[in-house]
Amino acid sequence: GENVEQHPSTLSVQEGDSAVIKCTYSDSASNYFPWYKQELGKGPQLIIDIRSNVGEKKDQRIAVTLNKTAKHFSLHITETQPEDSAVYFCADPPPTGGYNKLIFGAGTRLAVHP
Amino acid sequence: SQTIHQWPATLVQPVGSPLSLECTVEGTSNPNLYWYRQAAGRGLQLLFYSVGIGQISSEVPQNLSASRPQDRQFILSSKKLLLSDSGFYLCAWSLDRGYEQYFGPGTRLTVT
């Protein structure tokens, strides 16, 4: 699949609250689901990813959940801190076989207010 | 460990001038290499990718070109820049048969 839809485009939360960003994909054969964080003026950094054989993965305050039936995956950030403020991108899983191309979502600008 | 470098970090060029952006990767062999462009406040647009020396695939028709003269070197070029070429250019690499992509620090290009 070549399309990935990401929502919301902007998200504003208070420090300590949780934030959730969702991406919907179209290719039912997709098997890799990454999330990237881009701070101002820097390149995106891979922060967490999940494979299709797993429903959830956690790394400290961040987690990714996958719903293969509905074809969407979500990024969850708990106990948000000001340094979580950034633009977050999901990516369309690459097609099975061949080169490993990623198509990125439009991004979500997260603002965490002290 | 692997590192990726891009230079220059910033560039201001007049319309019609040539362009050459360079990306190099250290600490890995035979990586897949990618060039992306990001307009201000926008997402990432894949421009070119390469799976090996001399192997370049273009994603978007434009006045840009890419070359891979060495295994870990990826170059983005233009003969004549347009105003619309302004943006943040990002190079990325992944392992052969690896899904994860790792980005460089980027080059901010302003065409005046």
Side-chain angles (χ1 to χ4, degrees):
Chain A
E2 296 285 328
N3 295 321
V4 58
E5 293 186 4
Q6 183 173 344
H7 297 282
S9 57
T10 60
L11 182 59
S12 182
V13 301
Q14 290 297 124
E15 183 176 0
D17 288 350
S18 296
V20 181
I21 305 169
K22 181 179 175 180
C23 276
T24 303
Y25 61 97
S26 58
D27 185 356
S28 59
S30 299
N31 59 3
Y32 175 67
F33 307 92
W35 283 96
Y36 286 79
K37 174 184 180 182
Q38 186 177 26
E39 297 179 345
L40 190 63
K42 298 183 178 180
Q45 299 298 311
L46 177 65
I47 57 172
I48 195 166
D49 56 14
I50 194 171
R51 304 286 173 139
S52 59
N53 58 344
V54 177
E56 183 178 9
K57 182 178 178 181
K58 288 183 179 180
D59 183 3
Q60 299 183 357
R61 294 187 298 107
I62 62 172
V64 54
T65 59
L66 172 63
N67 184 325
K68 292 196 68 179
T69 302
K71 291 193 286 187
H72 65 71
F73 59 109
S74 299
L75 176 69
H76 304 256
I77 306 174
T78 60
E79 300 175 25
T80 53
Q81 300 170 5
E83 52 264 39
D84 295 327
S85 296
V87 180
Y88 291 82
F89 293 96
C90 62
D92 188 22
T96 53
Y99 53 85
N100 298 309
K101 181 174 71 172
L102 292 177
I103 305 299
F104 287 79
T108 296
R109 185 172 298 278
L110 172 66
V112 180
H113 301 285
Chain B
S1 65
Q2 301 89 356
T3 56
I4 179 169
H5 304 279
Q6 286 186 246
W7 63 88
T10 60
L11 190 61
V12 180
Q13 292 283 96
V15 169
S17 64
L19 173 73
S20 180
L21 303 181
E22 189 166 345
C23 169
T24 59
V25 180
E26 297 177 353
T28 188
S29 297
N30 196 32
N32 294 329
L33 295 172
Y34 311 84
W35 278 113
Y36 291 86
R37 178 169 58 200
Q38 187 175 34
R42 305 294 296 275
L44 301 165
Q45 180 187 33
L46 179 63
L47 302 176
F48 302 94
Y49 64 90
S50 171
V51 298
I53 296 174
Q55 302 179 62
I56 309 295
S57 295
S58 175
E59 290 293 298
V60 181
Q62 58 213 312
N63 69 321
L64 298 172
S65 62
S67 62
R68 185 171 177 173
Q70 300 180 42
D71 181 45
R72 290 170 288 179
Q73 183 184 31
F74 206 22
I75 297 173
L76 184 69
S77 304
S78 175
K79 293 181 179 180
K80 288 185 177 181
L81 283 168
L82 306 173
L83 285 174
S84 57
D85 292 324
S86 294
F88 193 44
Y89 287 83
L90 292 155
C91 181
W93 71 273
S94 69
L95 290 170
D96 185 27
R97 297 185 180 278
Y99 290 125
E100 298 88 343
Q101 289 188 19
Y102 302 96
F103 286 82
T107 294
R108 186 162 303 282
L109 171 66
T110 303
V111 182
T112 61

